[in-house]
Every structure is written in C-alpha cells, then in structure tokens.
Amino acid sequence: MEKWGLQGELILNCNCTVFCPCVISLGQHRPTEGFCQTWAGISIKKGFYDNVDLSGLCAGLLIDIPSYMTRGGWSLGIYIDSKASDKAFEALEKILKGKAKGTSGLVDILTANYLGAQRADMTYEKKGESIIFQIPKIIDGEVVPIAGKEDGKPVIIKNSSYWVSEDIIVGKAKKGKVRAFGRLWDFKGRSAEICELNWSGPEIP
C-alpha cells in the first residue's frame, strides 16, 4: 500500500459535556449522553499520499456513533477542500475513511454506514485563542481551550493512547452548528478537543 502522512492540526466538537470521556477511557466509557455525535475540522500543513501533495488542504468530518465508541456502528461523512485536485480528493477520502490503514485505520473497522465524501469550500483559521472552522451552510464551528492554573495556559491531557493524538488540549465550543448528511446539531458549550495532527501509514499503529 502507498505510504502517506499528514501533519497539521485537528479540532473536534462533540455532544458530550466537558470533557469527553472517550479520550481517557479509549472508548470503554459511556459518552456522557449515551451516544456520540461529532464534527471535526482538519488543517493540513504538510501532507502526502504516495506522490500526491496534500499540503495546505483542509477537511471536515461528521461522525455519529450510537453507543460506546469501541462498539462500532459509526456513520461517517467527509468534506474535502474544494481546492483539492481529483487525485488529492481521492487520497484524502481514502485516508479519512481509514482505507489507507495506519493511524486512521481504526475508522474503517468501526464504520458501518459510510455517508460519502463531498467537495466544499472551507476555512480553518485562528483568532486569538479561538480556532474557527467553517463550511458555509454546513459547519459553523469555533472552539477555545480551557485555561489551567498556570499563567492561563490550557489544560492538556498528555501521553494518552488516544488514536487521534497522544496530547489533547481540553476545550469547549463557542459555536458548533452542523447541518450535514441529514443531521441538524448544535453543540455550543459542549466538549471540544484541539490537537496536533501527526498521522501516517500504512503501518498499523
């Protein structure tokens, strides 16, 4: 299989009250609402799939999980930057579906209902402490870190075995509206995560 790598940043906002237990329990603990509904925004600073350059692109995810994360049954929808070439679109879809194995391979194992991938205009930007991810008429998201005791530095979970990233900045959503793939969600004030993106494959982690 082709080698690939993504480096950048990922933000995630779900329906859990702050903070999502899946990060610590690795999906063994029940989500705070009994089920998980999630959107994520991805900013790729450097990326490749074989000889296809993925640098500078963004992507969005919608994940709907009926129960415990590790029990599967996920519904997954993907949005890919309209700036992506056809080859980049195909490569990113394969990576984000988990079909390229490696870091995101778990997604393929747990997904039961693939909703498809669509092109869309999107922006991922930072304004002060806020990170804003927007897909017009689809996702309107803004997350901020939760300040810790030391000089306003954020609360960070370090050295976890969470597949997304080992170090997670604990956050909450200032905005979290989603209208996508037949879902209508609003997770303002709910749990958020901010983390470094450092995924690769096809090795199984």
Side-chain angles (χ1 to χ4, degrees):
M1 297 183 68
E2 292 83 353
K3 289 186 177 181
W4 63 271
L6 299 180
Q7 295 179 358
E9 189 173 67
L10 178 148
I11 60 172
L12 181 152
N13 172 214
C14 70
N15 65 321
C16 280
T17 52
V18 179
F19 177 65
C20 172
C22 292
V23 173
I24 300 298
S25 73
L26 305 181
Q28 300 299 317
H29 194 282
R30 176 181 177 273
T32 66
E33 309 306 298
F35 55 92
C36 176
Q37 297 172 329
T38 300
W39 66 264
I42 296 172
S43 174
I44 303 168
K45 294 180 181 177
K46 293 183 180 180
F48 71 93
Y49 179 88
D50 195 19
N51 62 350
V52 179
D53 187 13
L54 306 176
S55 303
L57 298 175
C58 295
L61 300 176
L62 177 144
I63 304 174
D64 197 346
I65 304 173
S67 180
Y68 289 70
M69 183 178 72
T70 52
R71 293 182 182 176
W74 295 16
S75 294
L76 169 70
I78 299 173
Y79 289 97
I80 294 175
D81 202 324
S82 59
K83 298 190 299 291
S85 67
D86 290 344
K87 288 185 177 181
F89 180 97
E90 292 172 4
L92 272 177
E93 182 183 16
K94 190 171 184 179
I95 290 169
L96 297 175
K97 283 175 64 177
K99 293 293 187 181
K101 306 301 181 186
T103 307
S104 57
L106 183 68
V107 177
D108 181 43
I109 297 171
L110 297 175
T111 297
N113 181 26
Y114 181 54
L115 304 173
Q118 300 178 14
R119 289 184 180 273
D121 295 333
M122 58 188 72
T123 56
Y124 186 111
E125 60 180 333
K126 296 184 179 182
K127 290 185 177 180
E129 292 186 341
S130 292
I131 302 175
I132 301 166
F133 180 72
Q134 292 180 317
I135 303 176
K137 299 182 181 180
I138 297 171
I139 295 177
D140 183 15
E142 180 178 355
V143 304
V144 292
I146 292 177
K149 183 177 180 181
E150 182 185 347
D151 298 327
K153 293 181 180 179
V155 176
I156 302 176
I157 295 172
K158 300 185 73 67
N159 194 36
S160 77
S161 295
Y162 188 44
W163 73 271
V164 177
S165 180
E166 63 183 35
D167 296 341
I168 305 292
I169 296 174
V170 178
K172 63 180 180 180
K174 293 180 71 174
K175 292 190 292 184
K177 291 185 177 181
V178 178
R179 187 173 185 174
F181 294 105
R183 276 79 171 168
L184 186 61
W185 300 338
D186 189 350
F187 300 147
K188 180 180 179 180
R190 296 277 173 160
S191 180
E193 303 166 19
I194 305 165
C195 60
E196 179 182 352
L197 187 73
N198 190 16
W199 294 359
S200 62
E203 296 81 10
I204 305 298

